[in-house]
Amino acid sequence: MKPVGLVFRPKTSFDVLKRELVPSFDSVLEDWVNNVKRTSFADPNYVLEITYVTPPLKAFVERVGERLDISVVVGGPLERGFGFGKTHALIFLWHLFTSDIYKRVSIGIRENVVRETLVLGVDCSRDKPLTKIVEELKTYANPGHPVARVKDPYLLGAVAEVLKEYGSELYALPSDSSRLAELIAKVMERYAAKSGRTPRLLLLIDELGWGLAQKLRTYADKMNMGESQEAERIYSEANAVVNFLSYLYAKLYVRPVAGVVIWVLAEQDRREIEALAVKSRDNELIYSKIKGVLSDLDVIAERYSRGTSGTSLAELSYSPEHALEIARYRILRTVEGLELSKLQEDYIAWLGAIARQLNLTDTFERYKEELKKFYPFSLGLIHLLKKVMSVSDTPATEFVRTVIGIVGDAASKALSVDPEGSYAVGVKHLSIPGVVQAKLMREFEIDWADAAGDIELALSKADPEELEVAETVTKYILAKGVTANVITALESRERRDLERYGSTVEEIQLEVLESFVESRALQIIERLGEALERLRAESARIDEREVEGKRFYLPSLFRTVYNKLATFVHEERKNLENKALIPIYIRQTGTIPSLFTNIRVVVDKRSDDVVVSLMEYGKVRDVETLMSDSAFQEAQSKGKLLLVIVPPWDMGLFNELYTSRGSYEDIVSSISKGLQRAVERDEIRRPLHVVVLIPGLSEFRMSAVLDKLVVYEGTKKFLSYLSKKEDIINERLREYEETLVKRKDLLTILSEEVKKRHLRELRSKLEQEIREARDFAQEQLVRLSRDIAVRVLELYRKAIYYSLDRNQFTVKDIVIGDETVKDAERLAEAIKTSDPRYYAAIVNKFLVDVIKGLTYECDAMKVAKALIEAYSNEFKKQAF
């Protein structure tokens, strides 16, 4: 299977796409009047090319065409779009009835209906919108305009004759809604008289709701400021279009006109106007006028709906799946020579084969049809896009426009940054905020933004090799589970609800297969479980619920009990802010020092030949002080190997290397030279019996140790916190109750019995959460104990010793061997303890390896044999 970037290309540039997400009907009308194409949407051919005609859009347009064949005036508000939004639908209708593209679209509209229909458009987001009607009528009267080649000459002649009769009064008509309506009625009447045909009118009004909301808000503000005269002028302007609709219906109702009038009044615009009225309730005049506009609109809508038996022209079912097809059609095209249907077949066959190998057949079969239908969108992206088509999940959604925006962002990265790294356009290609879409959640925007912030913070702490895995897990869970429907998503135990909002490990694995080339996908899947558990703990925002033996993971609006773990770790991390005090912190915790207790180095079963001494850096640096140390003198006198170790918490060494960023190589070299000078002065009788280990406390290397240490110490405190089970449960129950029960937008009225049942369920959930958190914390402590032991030993990178080959003190690189690391892992698995003291055996093994690596030998026979060989070789040289 080829990666997505090799089989798909953007249909248009993504910058252009973003600009076109909010098309302007007024710009289209203005360009049409002036016969120019400054906006792409003014080009009928371009609009036809980018419009994916869904079944609802096709039915809507055909219904308009049918009503234009019946001598009754009908109409009503358009509250939902059928292509790329309501404005796009109006633009499509405009071009369909003012150009010849109707001939190239598979929609049942007869040619005579197009030719004989007078089409007028208004955009109420502009000042004095009714002026545009006069400009459009004058355009119809212009024989040089392209519309003259489309429309019936009798219609154009009727428009020209009526306009001529009005003469200089023409431009005063937009300020008089009644006379403007009369003008249109006269054109209809004159056309019927000249042609003997039924006159037809299509009037399209965009942004009526938005325009009214803005003008009424300004009106209220002016009234509150005492500017009543200006306020009345604004109110009159706001009411002009509403009055025009009323007058137009009255003028045409008594005439044999086939008319369709459509105005855009989005639900959110109506809510905004109603909210404005509520805010103005204390001022009876303002309140009554705002409510009066809404009531007037309702009455007008009822009148226009009489011709359709009380139903709406746009009363059609709308499937969210159409939005995904629209987005793909609008944004992507296949590479020349490739057919989408063939790619879909190949993709689903390839994915199914891999799914079977990984025992993901059940999950694959469940989503097989969706994955095929919406290819190249990944499973996670499909979930996200379908969710933003739901008002209950994303109350501030703009439906298809939102879907196109999200797909545009994902496709842009997939095709330009990751063209050969993924088989699908997926949530992998979106940012965390891009997946969460918090702004669509209305009253829960801040809550989900906070949750996203916690998760991003947790991801920032992930090891580089784990980051990609953790991000993939995170984005899928967020894409499916973030919702404003919090009661259902966050508290339900019903399987159908958990399947809707919860993610399973198998689903995430399927997303990984789609989002990465096969070799990388398998690596990520292998580490997925561990990354998921780490993410739950670090972010405290991933909830786990089990039903019928199936585990589901959901993003949590509330911080889970793991939040305390993050808090404890954060508190421990504060100890690292003052660099000078870090060695004190290391020593006081006792965790790292415990690794150096009970050190006993046994080489070839000889336990008394090596003496280990922890010494301060200052003593080691000053050779005279080192030689005066009792441990040094005793080892020299008894002929034992002295292994001098400077501990990682030594203040002097820490200041020189970590704080002042001194050179580790210079330090070990200086100590080596100091010891050699002492040998040359015959102050060290047995130089072969001295080995010095200095840790490299650079900021880079110590960061790895300190990061593990603060998490270890924080986890210990977290485990202690979890022992206070009842206190935790009561605390969390109060938090839930304050957040949920007291939010009237969620639980307006709850009976005491419902409250008690709700809290019982929460208690059960919290008890399970505490048990799982305790298990996680214990496992994490064991793992961290092992990791800290290994990281500390990795600090010791060089050994200072006396080399027989060079006959002087020198420095040799040392590394912690793979076998030592494996020993640490085996020990952690065997003893299951989080106490670092038990890992002293790992330190002992490391020190034995160091000694052997320096070619020290304790076996007397081997030493004797080596001496004999050396003397023999020397005698042979002298003989010759």
Side-chain angles (χ1 to χ4, degrees):
M1 188 65 200
K2 291 183 179 180
V4 67
L6 300 184
V7 292
F8 282 93
R9 295 286 184 271
K11 184 169 281 188
T12 186
S13 81
F14 293 107
D15 289 337
V16 171
L17 177 67
K18 288 180 179 179
R19 289 198 301 270
E20 292 181 351
L21 281 178
V22 189
S24 166
F25 191 39
D26 184 72
S27 296
V28 171
L29 299 175
E30 186 70 19
D31 284 3
W32 183 81
V33 167
N34 295 306
N35 194 21
V36 295
K37 292 182 176 63
R38 289 170 294 190
T39 171
S40 300
F41 280 93
D43 183 350
N45 294 311
Y46 179 78
V47 173
L48 179 61
E49 178 187 351
I50 67 169
T51 301
Y52 182 80
V53 181
T54 62
L57 176 60
K58 184 174 185 289
F60 170 67
V61 174
E62 289 180 344
R63 188 176 291 182
V64 169
E66 290 169 1
R67 299 309 306 189
L68 287 171
D69 230 4
I70 303 172
S71 299
V72 177
V73 177
V74 298
L78 181 62
E79 298 173 344
R80 176 177 290 175
F82 304 96
F84 303 105
K86 297 172 287 294
T87 298
H88 189 103
L90 293 192
I91 292 173
F92 183 66
L93 272 175
W94 175 268
H95 288 307
L96 207 58
F97 282 89
T98 58
S99 72
D100 62 357
I101 65 168
Y102 69 92
K103 298 177 180 178
R104 289 175 281 135
V105 65
S106 58
I107 295 179
I109 298 179
R110 293 188 294 110
E111 181 177 359
N112 71 301
V113 173
V114 173
R115 286 178 54 79
E116 297 167 10
T117 299
L118 177 67
V119 189
L120 298 172
V122 174
D123 189 332
C124 294
S125 65
R126 300 295 185 265
D127 290 336
K128 300 180 179 179
L130 294 178
T131 302
K132 190 68 69 181
I133 290 179
V134 174
E135 294 175 358
E136 290 160 4
L137 288 171
K138 289 187 66 177
T139 303
Y140 279 108
N142 177 8
H145 193 278
V147 76
R149 297 193 293 270
V150 179
K151 294 299 179 182
D152 183 354
Y154 287 113
L155 175 62
L156 302 178
V159 172
E161 288 180 12
V162 173
L163 292 183
K164 188 174 182 180
E165 293 172 5
Y166 277 82
S168 59
E169 298 179 53
L170 195 58
Y171 284 101
L173 296 182
S175 60
D176 188 334
S177 300
S178 176
R179 293 191 66 200
L180 183 62
E182 181 65 32
L183 167 65
I184 295 172
K186 284 186 177 180
V187 170
M188 295 289 96
E189 204 168 51
R190 187 68 53 87
Y191 175 59
K194 289 173 67 68
S195 66
R197 303 185 183 109
T198 300
R200 312 173 201 269
L201 172 69
L202 176 59
L203 175 60
L204 307 173
I205 303 177
D206 196 17
E207 300 290 9
L208 176 59
W210 188 88
L212 283 175
Q214 302 313 303
K215 288 182 173 64
L216 290 174
R217 185 175 298 279
T218 305
Y219 159 74
D221 289 343
K222 293 294 183 183
M223 286 293 288
N224 289 326
M225 289 187 291
E227 301 177 20
S228 57
Q229 188 172 352
E230 177 64 10
E232 288 300 330
R233 185 193 67 77
I234 294 170
Y235 182 80
S236 177
E237 186 177 319
N239 217 20
V241 178
V242 178
N243 289 336
F244 171 70
L245 286 172
S246 181
Y247 288 130
L248 184 64
Y249 183 84
K251 303 289 184 184
L252 299 181
Y253 179 72
V254 296
R255 293 176 169 87
V257 175
V260 175
V261 180
I262 301 168
W263 60 89
V264 171
L265 181 64
E267 293 176 357
Q268 59 265 35
D269 296 330
R270 187 180 186 91
R271 284 197 301 269
E272 183 178 353
I273 297 172
E274 289 173 342
L276 181 61
V278 171
K279 284 174 61 178
S280 306
R281 190 182 293 274
D282 291 341
N283 189 316
E284 184 60 34
L285 178 61
I286 298 176
Y287 176 77
S288 61
K289 285 207 168 187
I290 294 174
K291 292 296 286 185
V293 171
L294 286 176
S295 298
D296 208 3
L297 272 175
D298 290 340
V299 171
I300 291 169
E302 188 274 329
R303 286 176 184 165
Y304 276 95
S305 69
R306 289 173 184 171
T308 57
S309 302
T311 62
S312 168
L313 279 171
E315 198 168 294
L316 298 163
S317 62
Y318 189 73
S319 169
E321 295 184 353
H322 293 146
L324 279 70
E325 295 174 331
I326 290 167
R328 180 178 60 197
Y329 180 85
R330 179 69 181 86
I331 295 169
L332 299 170
R333 63 175 178 84
T334 57
V335 171
E336 189 173 349
L338 297 178
E339 292 292 332
L340 176 61
S341 58
K342 180 64 166 59
L343 289 173
Q344 289 171 317
E345 293 288 348
D346 292 346
Y347 180 73
I348 219 66
W350 165 81
L351 187 59
I354 297 183
R356 283 191 293 275
Q357 294 174 20
L358 298 177
N359 294 321
L360 299 175
T361 302
D362 289 345
T363 303
F364 170 75
E365 289 297 330
R366 180 182 177 191
Y367 294 109
K368 177 180 177 180
E369 292 307 315
E370 283 185 298
L371 290 169
K372 179 180 178 181
K373 184 175 183 179
F374 302 125
Y375 171 75
F377 300 156
S378 76
L379 181 60
L381 187 60
I382 292 169
H383 285 313
L384 175 59
L385 299 179
K386 291 173 74 172
K387 191 177 65 181
V388 300
M389 288 299 292
S390 166
V391 176
S392 63
D393 288 320
T394 53
T397 183
E398 293 186 323
F399 300 102
V400 182
R401 183 179 296 164
T402 302
V403 169
I404 292 176
I406 292 172
V407 173
D409 289 340
S412 174
K413 186 172 181 180
L415 299 185
S416 60
V417 180
D418 191 34
E420 297 185 30
S422 177
Y423 299 106
V425 177
V427 291
K428 165 190 177 182
H429 303 114
L430 293 170
S431 64
I432 296 294
V435 173
V436 173
Q437 294 290 325
K439 289 185 177 179
L440 304 183
M441 304 299 163
R442 286 238 167 88
E443 61 267 30
F444 296 107
E445 177 182 349
I446 295 176
D447 300 290
W448 281 122
D450 286 346
D454 287 343
I455 289 175
E456 286 189 292
L457 181 61
L459 289 173
S460 71
K461 298 174 184 176
D463 293 335
E465 61 270 18
E466 289 184 355
L467 181 59
E468 193 169 44
V469 185
E471 279 189 341
T472 303
V473 171
T474 298
K475 289 177 180 179
Y476 186 89
I477 292 173
L478 292 173
K480 194 176 181 186
V482 172
T483 175
N485 187 11
V486 296
I487 292 295
T488 301
L490 304 181
E491 302 305 328
S492 176
R493 291 285 174 178
E494 295 292 329
R495 177 153 187 157
R496 66 176 182 275
D497 294 328
L498 292 178
E499 287 179 342
R500 178 180 176 185
Y501 295 110
S503 302
T504 65
V505 170
E506 292 79 12
E507 288 175 21
I508 300 172
Q509 290 175 337
L510 204 59
E511 177 78 10
V512 170
L513 291 175
E514 294 183 279
S515 303
F516 297 90
V517 293
E518 289 180 45
S519 57
R520 180 57 181 151
L522 295 176
Q523 292 173 352
I524 290 175
I525 287 173
E526 186 177 347
R527 306 185 65 173
L528 194 148
E530 182 182 348
L532 177 55
E533 289 306 309
R534 190 79 55 86
L535 184 66
R536 288 185 66 205
E538 290 286 342
S539 70
R541 290 292 193 169
I542 305 295
D543 193 11
E544 178 188 283
R545 262 171 271 169
E546 186 172 337
V547 60
E548 298 175 14
K550 194 75 172 175
R551 290 196 172 194
F552 296 90
Y553 298 91
L554 301 94
S556 179
L557 194 69
F558 312 104
R559 290 182 175 91
T560 66
V561 71
Y562 288 105
N563 178 54
K564 278 294 183 181
L565 173 58
T567 300
F568 287 131
V569 172
H570 178 70
E571 289 299 317
E572 290 298 317
R573 204 173 292 279
K574 287 182 179 179
N575 291 299
L576 307 181
E577 293 176 357
N578 189 335
K579 293 182 178 181
L581 299 179
I582 290 177
I584 297 174
Y585 171 69
I586 295 175
R587 188 168 61 250
Q588 287 179 344
T589 62
T591 300
I592 292 177
S594 67
L595 291 170
F596 294 88
T597 59
N598 301 321
I599 295 180
R600 191 163 176 243
V601 179
V602 180
V603 181
D604 293 337
K605 299 181 180 179
R606 299 171 65 93
S607 59
D608 297 326
D609 289 348
V610 180
V611 177
V612 179
S613 178
L614 294 183
M615 288 192 188
E616 296 178 2
Y617 168 62
K619 182 180 288 189
V620 176
R621 182 178 55 186
D622 185 345
V623 176
E624 296 296 330
T625 306
L626 171 62
M627 292 187 299
S628 65
D629 184 84
S630 59
F632 185 91
Q633 292 177 354
E634 183 178 352
Q636 287 283 297
S637 65
K638 294 182 177 180
K640 294 184 177 182
L641 176 63
L642 176 66
L643 189 56
V644 177
I645 301 176
V646 176
W649 59 89
D650 185 274
M651 183 74 78
L653 182 63
F654 187 88
N655 288 336
E656 193 163 334
L657 285 178
Y658 187 93
T659 307
S660 301
R661 299 189 178 183
S663 169
Y664 177 61
E665 284 72 17
D666 289 348
I667 286 176
V668 294
S669 176
S670 175
I671 293 172
S672 174
K673 290 176 181 178
L675 289 169
Q676 179 58 30
R677 286 193 293 270
V679 171
E680 293 168 358
R681 295 195 301 267
D682 291 328
E683 294 175 352
I684 300 179
R685 292 188 300 122
R686 290 174 171 156
L688 286 169
H689 290 212
V690 180
V691 176
V692 180
L693 298 181
I694 307 288
L697 306 183
S698 66
E699 186 170 357
F700 170 74
R701 293 185 179 277
M702 278 301 290
S703 293
V705 175
L706 294 172
D707 282 345
K708 301 288 185 185
L709 181 60
V710 295
V711 176
Y712 179 87
E713 296 300 326
T715 305
K716 280 202 304 185
K717 292 181 178 178
F718 177 59
L719 202 53
S720 175
Y721 163 79
L722 291 175
S723 65
K724 304 168 186 175
K725 175 181 167 184
E726 284 304 314
D727 291 344
I728 296 172
I729 290 176
N730 291 332
E731 175 190 345
R732 306 300 278 193
L733 287 177
R734 283 195 300 271
E735 180 184 343
Y736 275 96
E737 192 170 11
E738 289 171 4
T739 307
L740 288 181
V741 177
K742 292 184 180 180
R743 284 182 108 155
K744 294 182 180 179
D745 53 323
L746 294 177
L747 305 173
T748 309
I749 299 175
L750 279 180
S751 68
E752 284 303 313
E753 181 57 34
V754 172
K755 288 182 184 179
K756 289 178 181 178
R757 178 172 56 80
H758 188 66
L759 294 177
R760 279 198 305 271
E761 292 174 356
L762 287 175
R763 169 177 279 275
S764 174
K765 173 178 173 291
L766 288 169
E767 287 176 344
Q768 180 182 348
E769 189 177 299
I770 291 170
R771 287 194 298 271
E772 292 174 351
R774 187 183 296 114
D775 291 343
F776 171 83
Q778 289 170 339
E779 291 175 5
Q780 176 155 286
L781 284 178
V782 172
R783 184 178 65 252
L784 287 169
S785 296
R786 178 199 65 202
D787 292 347
I788 289 172
V790 172
R791 293 289 188 183
V792 167
L793 294 180
E794 285 176 340
L795 296 174
Y796 293 92
R797 299 185 291 119
K798 294 182 182 295
I800 303 168
Y801 78 112
Y802 192 86
S803 170
L804 277 175
D805 293 335
R806 298 185 180 183
N807 200 29
Q808 65 177 24
F809 270 98
T810 187
V811 177
K812 183 176 182 178
D813 290 337
I814 57 175
V815 294
I816 179 171
D818 292 339
E819 191 59 35
T820 302
V821 175
K822 290 178 181 177
D823 284 345
E825 293 173 350
R826 284 194 289 266
L827 187 61
E829 183 65 29
I831 63 179
K832 296 288 186 183
T833 181
S834 59
D835 191 338
R837 287 179 298 174
Y838 290 93
Y839 291 86
I842 303 301
V843 179
N844 291 338
K845 176 69 165 59
F846 169 71
L847 296 178
V848 170
D849 289 345
V850 169
I851 291 170
K852 288 184 175 180
L854 298 176
T855 66
Y856 279 90
E857 183 57 67
C858 298
D859 189 317
M861 294 301 295
K862 290 181 179 179
V863 172
K865 184 179 180 181
L867 287 172
I868 291 171
E869 288 180 358
Y871 282 127
S872 176
N873 290 334
E874 189 65 29
F875 288 147
K876 287 178 182 178
K877 288 179 183 178
Q878 292 179 9
F880 288 99

